[in-house]
Structures are given as C-alpha cells and as structure tokens.
Amino acid sequence: MTKWTNEKLQKLQDLRDDGLTVDQIADQLNTRSRTIRYAFERLHQLERQGRFVPKTTKPTKNRSNSSQHVNKNGSITSSSLITIKDGQKLTDKELLEKHGLDPDRFVIERYVSNAWGKPEPHSTSYQTKITVKPINYDLDDVIKSINQDIEPIKPIKRNNSNFFKNTLIVPLFDLHFGISTYDSMKPYLDQIYCLIANQPYTNLLIILGGDYFHSDSMTKSQTVKGTQLDHVDMEKAIQDGTKFFNKLMSCAIAFSKHVHIISVPGNHDSDLAYVWGLGMKERYKNEVDSFNITLNTWAAFNIDRCGFLIAHGDVAKNRLPLLFASDAKAIWSKTDYHAIFWGHYHQEVVHDDNGVVEFQVGTPKPTDGWEKRKGFTMSRKKLELFEFNKNRLTSIHYLEA
C-alpha cells in the first residue's frame, strides 16, 4: 500500500494545479486511478485538520485548465477538475467556461462527473468530462435542407374514375433519421412506387407517427425530455428525412386521387418534427387534400366507413380504444371498422380488442448503438402498408429491404 507522505501529497497538489485529471496523474505516477482518488481524499482530510498545508511552488492555474482531445467526428472531449459550492448547479454555459471553452462557440453533447472529495467544508471537487460540438448550424441551414432538390410533381390524369380504387395507409413510425439515412430508406421508396404505380389509389394517407428524427435538438443528440443519445449528425438527418418525404410525396401525388397527411408527436423529436412538419405543410398546401399536424398525443380521422386513431404509443397506449370511443365520438359513431395505429416499441404486434384492431407497427430503421447494447436487435426491419376498401381492411403489404 502506498504511504502518502507530505512530499507525495505535495506532488499530487502540483499535478492537479497543472490541470491533470485523475487518470493522467495515475499514468504519470504509474499507479491506479482509484489509488489517486483515495490520495486526494486523504489530502483534503489533512487540509481540513490543518495537518497539511500545500506549498505554492508555482503559480496555481485556474481549474478551468483542462485536457482536451479532438475526436474524428469533429467533437472535442475535455477533462477537468472543478470545485463548486455544495448544492450549486452549473448551467451548460458555466460548465463550458470552467473547461475553458467559449459557450458561444460550443454546445455540450455528453457530460460525466465523479466526486473527488471536499477541499473545503462547503465545497466539493469533481472530475468532469464533457464532449462538445462546435456550433456551426443556423436557421439558414434548416431552410436550405428543407428546400433542396425540389422536383416538379406531375399528377396523372385519368378520366375513368374506376381507374382508382381503395385506400392505402402508409404509417411512418420511428424512422429515426440520423440513424436512418436516405440511402437506407430508398429500397422502401422503390417498393412503394411499384405498388402505387401499378394500381393507383383513391385515397393515400401518410401517417407521421413520431420519432421521424432521432433527436429533438439540432446541436445536441437528445430526446424531448433531455435524455442524451449517441451522437448523430442532425443537419444530415434533416436533409435525408426531407429528401425521403419529398420523393414519397411526389409518388403519392402522381398516383393517387386524394392525398392526406396527419402527424402526431413522438418522444424523441416532437418539437423539431412539428416545426419541420409546418415547413412541409407549407410546401404541399396546394398539392394535397389535407395536412394536419397536432401536438396532442393522439388524433382520429375516418375514410368512408373506416375510422382510425393514431398515437405514437409512449403515452396512454392501454387506454387508446376507450379514448377513441369516448373522445372521438363523431368519428366512432359514423364508422363500422375501427383501427388504431401506434409504434414506439419498434416491433410488430396486432391485437383485436373487442372489435378495435390495434396495429403496433415496426420500423425499418437500422439498429443503433443503444439497441445493440440492450439486445433489442431481433425484430424484423420492415415497413407495413395497409390497404382498405370502403368498409374494412383488405390487405397488409410488407416491405423489406
């Protein structure tokens, strides 16, 4: 066991004043990080008892001095020892400043801290590690992402009304663009095109069922509630998600008599998807029959004698049939077939609840790092399209890459 003499403790103090982290000090002294943490606890204890007074052998550096490393994706990982008063909560701006980083130039993506000890009775030292990303994204980039690659839409013209038949519902749940890319989703677009072009539909309904994008923030990878996610490039995610939607809309408008879009929020992206959806609504306002966006957790609609309720599935999923009957009475009462669409769990489940058929749909998104760590890798990757006549479901089309 290492005997921590005053001379060795002074060496620790000097290294800390140089801005080194626990791991860096352990490497320099050829010992374990746990041993260094114990030594600092001992140092602080002796300081409080007046049995050890560090010598000022060099100018003490500000604790904002940190060890920084530039990662391959352009982010920066910074490690630093900081001391704050007990009960104090640092804002992102204050934390960046303590790491010697400009809050106007960087945004925090990940944050980890470990308590080191109490150098003073009412203060605590923490070893902190943050990963930051340069702020290089602005509203102009969003506009460019949404409006790039616009192609003219040429609707087909058919005088024979018998040329069109049935209703096709395209549920887009949990695509998680940022994990999904346009290239990974293009095989599904090709299959949708073949399906619709061979037999145009009277009604085509696109459901934006939430979590269309992986993150709710452009500068951080996080959910609506602030849960930190593995880093994704959200500028590219917007570009890919917009390109996919534009291609889908071109196909829908060209080969369908009536096109409807309805959107409900997800737990990953509700704010971002709402703003993006407003941009899409403005673009296609003269091309579609309806484009409804809501921040409510569910929405109901009907086509002919078929009534539908959609929700992301993270809220009140066990009460959706009752909500349908009680809170959407106007639609419930005039329809004979009742169905609910929801996602969230990334797997397919069909359940007939006393006449209300619940379709929990899966997702074609690639497996991400979180799913691999948790073992959620066995569900089949597919997109499901539902075909209805005026009275009931007639078929389900399974699309797989």
Side-chain angles (χ1 to χ4, degrees):
M1 179 179 293
T2 302
K3 183 177 181 180
W4 290 101
T5 63
N6 282 3
E7 182 180 356
K8 290 182 178 179
L9 291 176
Q10 181 63 53
K11 176 64 174 178
L12 284 184
Q13 183 70 47
D14 292 342
L15 292 173
R16 187 176 74 171
D17 289 343
D18 285 337
L20 272 65
T21 66
V22 167
D23 293 338
Q24 290 169 334
I25 294 175
D27 289 342
Q28 185 159 332
L29 298 181
N30 195 27
T31 187
R32 294 180 298 178
S33 298
R34 185 172 62 182
T35 301
I36 298 300
R37 291 192 183 92
Y38 167 79
F40 273 105
E41 291 176 2
R42 178 62 176 165
L43 184 152
H44 298 324
Q45 181 183 34
L46 294 175
E47 282 184 321
R48 290 194 296 272
Q49 295 173 353
R51 297 165 57 189
F52 174 72
V53 180
K55 299 176 181 178
T56 307
T57 58
K58 62 183 73 176
T60 300
K61 296 183 180 179
N62 188 294
R63 293 295 187 267
S64 65
N65 286 347
S66 58
S67 170
Q68 296 175 354
H69 172 72
V70 179
N71 304 312
K72 291 182 179 179
N73 63 1
S75 64
I76 298 173
T77 299
S78 174
S79 300
S80 182
L81 182 71
I82 63 174
T83 301
I84 62 174
K85 295 180 180 178
D86 291 346
Q88 180 185 3
K89 293 184 178 180
L90 297 180
T91 64
D92 284 2
K93 178 180 178 181
E94 292 170 332
L95 185 57
L96 285 166
E97 290 175 342
K98 285 185 175 293
H99 277 257
L101 297 168
D102 186 351
D104 294 327
R105 295 182 55 225
F106 297 95
V107 63
I108 297 174
E109 291 187 307
R110 299 184 187 89
Y111 166 64
V112 178
S113 69
N114 295 298
W116 262 34
K118 298 182 71 64
E120 299 175 3
H122 301 293
S123 298
T124 303
S125 292
Y126 295 89
Q127 180 193 10
T128 62
K129 179 179 288 186
I130 62 175
T131 300
V132 301
K133 176 183 177 181
I135 299 174
N136 55 6
Y137 193 91
D138 57 32
L139 186 58
D140 289 338
D141 294 324
V142 178
I143 296 172
K144 291 177 183 177
S145 297
I146 289 178
N147 289 290
Q148 67 175 1
D149 299 328
I150 299 177
E151 297 179 357
I153 298 172
K154 299 178 180 179
I156 59 173
K157 296 181 180 180
R158 294 290 188 269
N159 295 324
N160 184 1
S161 60
N162 294 327
F163 185 78
F164 299 92
K165 71 168 189 177
N166 290 353
T167 292
L168 185 70
I169 294 182
V170 182
L172 302 179
F173 286 81
D174 306 291
L175 297 191
H176 289 263
F177 276 100
I179 302 297
S180 293
T181 64
Y182 175 78
D183 289 339
S184 71
M185 292 298 298
K186 188 177 184 301
Y188 301 96
L189 275 177
D190 295 339
Q191 293 175 71
I192 293 173
Y193 176 86
C194 291
L195 177 64
I196 299 176
N198 288 332
Q199 180 51 68
Y201 288 89
T202 301
N203 299 291
L204 193 142
L205 174 74
I206 298 171
I207 298 174
L208 297 172
D211 291 359
Y212 190 79
F213 297 108
H214 188 61
S215 170
D216 197 49
S217 172
M218 295 304 302
T219 55
K220 300 179 184 180
S221 294
Q222 64 181 31
T223 66
V224 176
K225 294 184 178 180
T227 302
Q228 295 300 305
L229 305 167
D230 292 340
H231 173 69
V232 296
D233 184 344
M234 283 306 297
E235 183 174 356
K236 185 176 186 299
I238 288 282
Q239 294 172 354
D240 284 351
T242 302
K243 185 177 181 180
F244 173 84
F245 188 75
N246 287 340
K247 297 287 187 180
L248 176 60
M249 289 298 294
S250 296
C251 178
I253 294 169
F255 295 103
S256 303
K257 192 172 183 180
H258 302 288
V259 178
H260 306 270
I261 301 94
I262 188 164
S263 172
V264 294
N267 62 301
H268 268 247
D269 69 343
S270 64
D271 295 337
L272 175 61
Y274 181 80
V275 174
W276 175 83
L278 291 178
M280 294 298 99
K281 182 177 181 178
E282 179 65 20
R283 170 181 290 188
Y284 292 106
K285 63 182 179 181
N286 298 321
E287 308 289 346
V288 301
D289 293 78
S290 65
F291 199 131
N292 298 318
I293 306 173
T294 181
L295 286 174
N296 294 331
T297 56
W298 61 269
F301 60 94
N302 75 285
I303 296 177
D304 298 319
R305 301 294 297 176
C306 299
F308 308 97
L309 183 139
I310 61 173
H312 181 64
D314 59 321
V315 177
K317 67 181 182 66
N318 295 324
R319 298 192 297 275
L320 292 177
L322 289 176
L323 284 171
F324 195 175
S326 62
D327 289 8
K329 292 185 178 71
I331 292 174
W332 179 275
S333 62
K334 66 181 180 182
T335 52
D336 299 321
Y337 184 96
H338 302 114
I340 296 174
F341 293 100
W342 51 286
H344 184 57
Y345 290 96
H346 298 193
Q347 60 181 340
E348 177 195 11
V349 177
V350 181
H351 178 60
D352 189 335
D353 187 0
N354 296 315
V356 180
V357 185
E358 297 181 59
F359 297 101
Q360 176 186 316
V361 299
T363 173
K365 68 171 283 294
T367 300
D368 59 41
W370 183 86
E371 289 169 325
K372 290 178 181 178
R373 291 194 298 272
K374 297 293 184 179
F376 297 126
T377 59
M378 293 172 283
S379 296
R380 291 177 67 180
K381 304 297 184 181
K382 61 183 179 296
L383 201 61
E384 302 160 58
L385 277 56
F386 298 80
E387 185 171 339
F388 292 81
N389 62 21
K390 292 183 177 182
N391 301 301
R392 62 178 177 82
L393 177 71
T394 59
S395 61
I396 302 176
H397 304 273
Y398 291 97
L399 312 183
E400 299 188 53

